[in-house]
Amino acid sequence: MLAKHQAVFVTAEEQLAGRGRNGKLWVGDSYQNIYLSLAVDESKTELLKNKVMYQIIGCLAVKHTLLRFISDRKIKLKYPNDIYVENDDYIYKKIAGVLSEHSYSGNKCTESILGIGVNINQTEFDNVISNKATSILLLGYRLDKDRILEELKRNINSYICKSEDEVFTEWTTELAIVGKEVIVVNKSEKYIVNNIDENGTLYASNNNEEIKINNGDSIIYDLG
């Protein structure tokens, strides 16, 4: 369990300037979704040795929470920090996003923050993401947001108590991106993912070169 005064969960009922990767915003309707942060005082305790594990744990905890009412085959983790769910039209849409941030003093991490947003009862999205996003309600489930929130927090606690190697292996298995073909957007070329290292970096290659990938927005691939 999380140690008192060293780590704390913080929730919000609305989010107007939530942060995503690459400077993107995560904005959602008030009182409709889950906006959860886990703040850790790393100066008092090193909760996780590998800081990438915060984001990994967030993704796995969300999926484990969704498994209570959504079939496993319909939930996909998208590299590196998104959760997608297949709707009745067999289209995968984003239902949750995860982001971790860290503060350092020299080479020592002093603070870690894990942020998670899950679309629960929102039914309309702005034009930018309307074709890409979904919610639990849009999938046909009317559920108590607070109960889902408590389940999510329990699952985060559970994953933090596991060994980092075990959790990392589960993440790479669920991600299932090694061996897949990806298109690198700025190159418009296809590559095969050969490996993923402990920092979450992908190694991919084609007949011409081998490259490193650590930005999910830079690649396109089939989630199925």
Side-chain angles (χ1 to χ4, degrees):
M1 297 295 290
L2 298 178
K4 188 177 181 181
H5 305 310
Q6 297 175 354
V8 61
F9 282 115
V10 179
T11 60
E13 291 293 354
E14 62 179 340
Q15 184 160 270
L16 302 178
R19 296 170 66 178
R21 288 175 66 90
N22 305 315
K24 292 183 177 180
L25 295 179
W26 180 284
V27 180
D29 287 353
S30 302
Y31 304 96
Q32 300 300 316
N33 305 316
I34 288 175
Y35 310 111
L36 173 66
S37 294
L38 169 64
V40 181
D41 186 348
E42 300 266 4
S43 67
K44 294 182 178 179
T45 182
E46 187 178 55
L47 198 60
L48 296 168
K49 184 177 179 62
N50 182 353
K51 305 313 175 191
V52 174
M53 296 304 299
Y54 281 101
Q55 189 165 279
I56 290 173
I57 282 172
C59 291
L60 290 173
V62 170
K63 175 168 184 180
H64 199 70
T65 302
L66 296 178
L67 282 174
R68 292 290 297 270
F69 47 90
I70 299 175
S71 170
D72 179 71
R73 66 176 181 80
K74 290 190 173 185
I75 308 171
K76 299 292 183 181
L77 302 188
K78 182 179 182 295
Y79 179 83
N81 63 328
D82 293 330
I83 297 88
Y84 278 64
V85 175
E86 185 184 52
N87 63 17
D88 290 339
D89 296 322
Y90 305 105
I91 298 172
Y92 284 101
K93 292 192 173 185
K94 183 175 177 178
I95 197 168
V98 177
L99 182 69
S100 62
E101 297 181 296
H102 312 279
S103 298
Y104 286 85
S105 177
N107 62 357
K108 180 175 176 57
C109 182
T110 58
E111 181 184 68
S112 294
I113 297 177
L114 168 64
I116 300 175
V118 186
N119 297 329
I120 305 296
N121 294 319
Q122 187 162 338
T123 57
E124 295 183 0
F125 298 89
D126 65 39
N127 292 333
V128 176
I129 63 170
S130 60
N131 292 326
K132 301 177 181 179
T134 190
S135 69
I136 288 175
L137 183 57
L138 287 175
L139 292 169
Y141 302 94
R142 291 186 176 274
L143 302 172
D144 186 321
K145 176 170 66 71
D146 291 335
R147 290 184 64 181
I148 298 173
L149 174 60
E150 292 306 310
E151 177 74 11
L152 176 58
K153 290 193 287 187
R154 283 194 295 270
N155 285 327
I156 291 171
N157 269 315
S158 176
Y159 274 106
I160 286 174
C161 292
K162 295 181 179 182
S163 77
E164 293 185 26
D165 287 343
E166 179 185 354
V167 175
F168 186 82
T169 298
E170 181 178 344
W171 178 64
T172 56
T173 301
E174 293 285 352
L175 196 60
I177 196 171
V178 174
K180 279 194 173 182
E181 181 181 86
V182 299
I183 298 174
V184 177
V185 177
N186 64 355
K187 292 175 173 287
S188 297
E189 292 185 32
K190 296 179 180 179
Y191 294 78
I192 298 296
V193 177
N194 301 315
N195 191 24
I196 182 167
D197 71 13
E198 63 180 7
N199 296 313
T201 299
L202 301 180
Y203 293 81
S205 63
N206 59 18
N207 292 330
N208 299 317
E209 61 179 342
E210 182 176 29
I211 61 172
K212 295 181 181 180
I213 301 167
N214 54 25
N215 184 346
D217 290 333
S218 70
I219 58 174
I220 299 172
Y221 69 97
D222 183 11
L223 287 177

